Amino acid sequence: MAGSGYFVRPESYSCPLCMDVLRDPVNIPCGDTFCLDCIKLYWDQADHVGVYSCPQCRATFTPRPALQQYVTNSGQDCRNWPEQPSFPALQQDTLCDFCTGHRNKAIKSCLMCLAYYCEVHIKPHYESATFKRHKLVDEMGHLDRKICPQHEKGFELFCRSDQMCICVLCTVREHRSHNIVSAEEERAEKQKALIVTQNDVQNVIQERMKELQELKHNVETLKGHGQRAMADSDKIFTEMIQAVERWHSEITCLIESTEQACMTQAQGYMERLEMEIMELQQRDADLRHILDTEDSIHFLQNFPTLCVPPEPIVPKVVINPEFSFRDVTKNVTGMKDHLEDICKKELNKISKTVNETPIYILLSRTGDKHFKVPSRVDLQEPKTREDFLKYSCQLTLDPNTAYKELMLSDGNQKVTRKKTALFYADHPERFDGFSQVLCREALSGSRYYWEVQWSGEFSIGVAYKSINRKGKNSSSLLGYNDKSWSMLCSDTGYSVWHNKLDKDLPCSSHAARVGVYLDHRGGSLAFYAVSQSMELIYKFQAKFTEPLYAGFGVGSTVSICHLRDSFSNLH
């Protein structure tokens, strides 16, 4: 800054073209500084004209000026400076041209004197009649841009033929017979255009502010949905954990009750066996006694009762080999594995839905039909025509696919069936068996909408690029194979075709304009009768595995509509 002893290096400034820190800075004749590569590329685009202008001040040069390496006030080549990080440019004060010694800051510049004045030295311009016609402005710097480099006179006029500022002497030779007006007159004209631009900018500002508010609101809504989803997830998983604990408790009770019943039953068997053993031991003692007696009469009298063989009282008890608590463990393990499989499968579905569904869809403001999808949200299905138009894309017919009797016109936006064959060169993508044509644009991964107007009879649909093009068979007829989907439209009604299956549709009214809505990612293709409302005719649900191309089977005339046209133009 002036007066502080600091010198601002050119790396601290940004290039007006790339808006980045100056790289290999060079000067051009008007005094402005640019990156070497930027100004070379900029002027390369003007080689066919032969007139080169400054991107900053619009000064023009003929022939193409030589570029001069930027040199500091001290004569130091800036190429020898080490790299520095980029900082905001520091604005140097413009100093008064008439101060001696310590120079004061200039507050005005005179377009007649082409000089800068401080508060003290500007006074004669206000007080003396001599300077009455001089024009004072607040702009500081670049007064050299207001001087004609050839005649060294101030610019006062504007040449409309060459679109540049000139001095009076320029009208004598260089701009003789050109359309020349005063700078003030040209400024008045251009100011009108600038006011229009300003109004456009203000309208855009209002639109962007409205978009910003809507986006903030939607973000807060999305945040609320996320918090509710988290709370619902916590609740559901808590219930799932409680259910698992309940199942655990039931399994535990089942094992305990089975074990208790088993122990009780076994205890009864053991008690009965012990009793039978005691009875048999008593009978064994009686038999031992009678066998040892010497009284034969006593022996013979007790023999009938003691000689009866013993009868089993308790059946033999063994453990059933088919019963095992290991089976319980095995079944519980199966429950765990099955539950894990279910959870993994459902989690994969959830992750796929969340990760593959965009939250934000960035629509090009320049009318580009392609969408950039950097983020994730599941947008609602469109309902009104305005909703559908958010996904509008402008299609063009591909002449290389057109049947020999189809004539394309209106910039390949209209196709008409002729009675005679047209001259078309052979092409591998041309339909040679059916009166059909496809569009150029590949539709994939996003949502698309287009409309057509028609007369006579025609079919409208989409197809993979791999659809057969040759011969009169179902593999090349739009809708009659697994590579295409279509709807036939006629004065009597509609029918839809896919993979050799067709279905007639009830028709309440005839629509001269048909809208097609394709959600490639979502797997749906819908046809609408377009009027003052959107009436669904039919919707296909499918899993699209390739990019799709819009196509038509033409009986008379089909026109692709320009969706910028007003809604009132529908007929």
Side-chain angles (χ1 to χ4, degrees), residues 94-113:
T94 303
L95 304 179
C96 176
D97 290 326
F98 295 91
C99 289
T100 58
H102 175 73
R103 298 172 63 189
N104 295 320
K105 177 182 175 181
I107 62 169
K108 293 283 185 179
S109 60
C110 177
L111 299 184
M112 293 290 290
C113 302

Short mmCIF file of all heavy atoms in Angstrom, two decimals, residues 94-113:
data_model
loop_
_atom_site.label_atom_id
_atom_site.label_comp_id
_atom_site.label_asym_id
_atom_site.label_seq_id
_atom_site.Cartn_x
_atom_site.Cartn_y
_atom_site.Cartn_z
N THR A 94 -4.21 5.27 -5.18
CA THR A 94 -3.76 6.12 -6.29
C THR A 94 -3.38 7.48 -5.73
O THR A 94 -4.15 8.08 -4.96
CB THR A 94 -4.87 6.27 -7.34
OG1 THR A 94 -5.26 4.96 -7.78
CG2 THR A 94 -4.39 7.09 -8.52
N LEU A 95 -2.20 8.01 -6.11
CA LEU A 95 -1.68 9.25 -5.53
C LEU A 95 -1.87 10.42 -6.48
O LEU A 95 -1.98 10.26 -7.70
CB LEU A 95 -0.19 9.08 -5.21
CG LEU A 95 0.15 7.91 -4.28
CD1 LEU A 95 1.65 7.84 -4.06
CD2 LEU A 95 -0.60 8.01 -2.97
N CYS A 96 -1.95 11.59 -5.87
CA CYS A 96 -2.16 12.84 -6.62
C CYS A 96 -0.94 13.11 -7.51
O CYS A 96 0.21 12.96 -7.09
CB CYS A 96 -2.38 13.99 -5.66
SG CYS A 96 -2.54 15.61 -6.46
N ASP A 97 -1.22 13.52 -8.76
CA ASP A 97 -0.14 13.81 -9.71
C ASP A 97 0.49 15.18 -9.49
O ASP A 97 1.52 15.48 -10.11
CB ASP A 97 -0.67 13.73 -11.15
CG ASP A 97 -1.00 12.30 -11.55
OD1 ASP A 97 -0.28 11.39 -11.09
OD2 ASP A 97 -1.97 12.09 -12.31
N PHE A 98 -0.09 16.05 -8.66
CA PHE A 98 0.38 17.43 -8.54
C PHE A 98 0.99 17.72 -7.17
O PHE A 98 1.40 18.85 -6.92
CB PHE A 98 -0.78 18.40 -8.82
CG PHE A 98 -1.26 18.32 -10.24
CD1 PHE A 98 -2.27 17.45 -10.59
CD2 PHE A 98 -0.68 19.10 -11.22
CE1 PHE A 98 -2.71 17.37 -11.90
CE2 PHE A 98 -1.12 19.03 -12.53
CZ PHE A 98 -2.13 18.16 -12.88
N CYS A 99 1.00 16.76 -6.29
CA CYS A 99 1.65 16.95 -4.99
C CYS A 99 3.17 16.84 -5.17
O CYS A 99 3.66 16.04 -5.97
CB CYS A 99 1.18 15.88 -3.99
SG CYS A 99 -0.54 16.11 -3.44
N THR A 100 3.87 17.64 -4.40
CA THR A 100 5.34 17.54 -4.36
C THR A 100 5.73 17.08 -2.97
O THR A 100 5.07 17.38 -1.98
CB THR A 100 5.98 18.90 -4.66
OG1 THR A 100 5.51 19.86 -3.71
CG2 THR A 100 5.66 19.35 -6.08
N GLY A 101 6.86 16.35 -2.91
CA GLY A 101 7.25 15.79 -1.61
C GLY A 101 6.33 14.62 -1.28
O GLY A 101 6.19 13.67 -2.05
N HIS A 102 5.68 14.72 -0.14
CA HIS A 102 4.74 13.68 0.25
C HIS A 102 3.47 13.80 -0.60
O HIS A 102 2.81 14.82 -0.60
CB HIS A 102 4.38 13.80 1.74
CG HIS A 102 3.32 12.83 2.17
ND1 HIS A 102 3.59 11.49 2.32
CD2 HIS A 102 2.00 13.01 2.47
CE1 HIS A 102 2.48 10.88 2.70
NE2 HIS A 102 1.50 11.79 2.79
N ARG A 103 3.14 12.79 -1.32
CA ARG A 103 1.99 12.82 -2.23
C ARG A 103 0.74 12.30 -1.51
O ARG A 103 0.75 11.23 -0.91
CB ARG A 103 2.26 11.97 -3.47
CG ARG A 103 3.45 12.49 -4.29
CD ARG A 103 3.81 11.53 -5.40
NE ARG A 103 2.74 11.38 -6.37
CZ ARG A 103 2.71 10.47 -7.35
NH1 ARG A 103 3.74 9.61 -7.44
NH2 ARG A 103 1.72 10.42 -8.20
N ASN A 104 -0.33 13.10 -1.60
CA ASN A 104 -1.59 12.73 -0.96
C ASN A 104 -2.38 11.74 -1.82
O ASN A 104 -2.16 11.63 -3.03
CB ASN A 104 -2.44 13.98 -0.70
CG ASN A 104 -1.78 14.91 0.30
OD1 ASN A 104 -1.18 14.46 1.30
ND2 ASN A 104 -1.85 16.21 0.05
N LYS A 105 -3.32 11.09 -1.18
CA LYS A 105 -4.20 10.15 -1.87
C LYS A 105 -5.14 10.92 -2.80
O LYS A 105 -5.73 11.92 -2.41
CB LYS A 105 -5.00 9.34 -0.85
CG LYS A 105 -6.00 8.38 -1.48
CD LYS A 105 -6.79 7.66 -0.39
CE LYS A 105 -7.86 6.78 -1.02
NZ LYS A 105 -8.67 6.08 0.02
N ALA A 106 -5.27 10.45 -4.03
CA ALA A 106 -6.17 11.08 -4.99
C ALA A 106 -7.61 10.69 -4.68
O ALA A 106 -7.90 9.57 -4.27
CB ALA A 106 -5.81 10.66 -6.41
N ILE A 107 -8.51 11.66 -4.89
CA ILE A 107 -9.94 11.39 -4.66
C ILE A 107 -10.75 11.51 -5.94
O ILE A 107 -11.88 11.04 -6.02
CB ILE A 107 -10.51 12.36 -3.61
CG1 ILE A 107 -10.40 13.81 -4.11
CG2 ILE A 107 -9.83 12.16 -2.27
CD1 ILE A 107 -11.17 14.79 -3.25
N LYS A 108 -10.18 12.16 -6.98
CA LYS A 108 -10.87 12.33 -8.26
C LYS A 108 -9.85 12.20 -9.38
O LYS A 108 -8.65 12.44 -9.21
CB LYS A 108 -11.54 13.71 -8.36
CG LYS A 108 -12.71 13.94 -7.42
CD LYS A 108 -13.96 13.23 -7.91
CE LYS A 108 -15.16 13.57 -7.03
NZ LYS A 108 -16.39 12.91 -7.50
N SER A 109 -10.38 11.82 -10.55
CA SER A 109 -9.55 11.86 -11.75
C SER A 109 -10.30 12.65 -12.82
O SER A 109 -11.53 12.64 -12.87
CB SER A 109 -9.25 10.44 -12.25
OG SER A 109 -10.45 9.75 -12.56
N CYS A 110 -9.55 13.37 -13.65
CA CYS A 110 -10.14 14.22 -14.69
C CYS A 110 -9.94 13.53 -16.04
O CYS A 110 -8.81 13.22 -16.42
CB CYS A 110 -9.49 15.59 -14.68
SG CYS A 110 -10.13 16.67 -16.01
N LEU A 111 -11.04 13.34 -16.77
CA LEU A 111 -10.96 12.68 -18.05
C LEU A 111 -10.42 13.59 -19.15
O LEU A 111 -10.04 13.12 -20.22
CB LEU A 111 -12.34 12.15 -18.46
CG LEU A 111 -12.96 11.11 -17.52
CD1 LEU A 111 -14.27 10.62 -18.08
CD2 LEU A 111 -12.01 9.96 -17.29
N MET A 112 -10.41 14.90 -18.89
CA MET A 112 -9.84 15.86 -19.86
C MET A 112 -8.34 16.01 -19.61
O MET A 112 -7.53 15.96 -20.53
CB MET A 112 -10.54 17.21 -19.75
CG MET A 112 -12.00 17.16 -20.18
SD MET A 112 -12.20 16.92 -21.95
CE MET A 112 -11.63 18.51 -22.55
N CYS A 113 -7.97 16.19 -18.35
CA CYS A 113 -6.56 16.36 -17.99
C CYS A 113 -5.82 15.03 -17.97
O CYS A 113 -4.58 15.01 -18.05
CB CYS A 113 -6.43 17.02 -16.62
SG CYS A 113 -7.23 18.62 -16.49
#
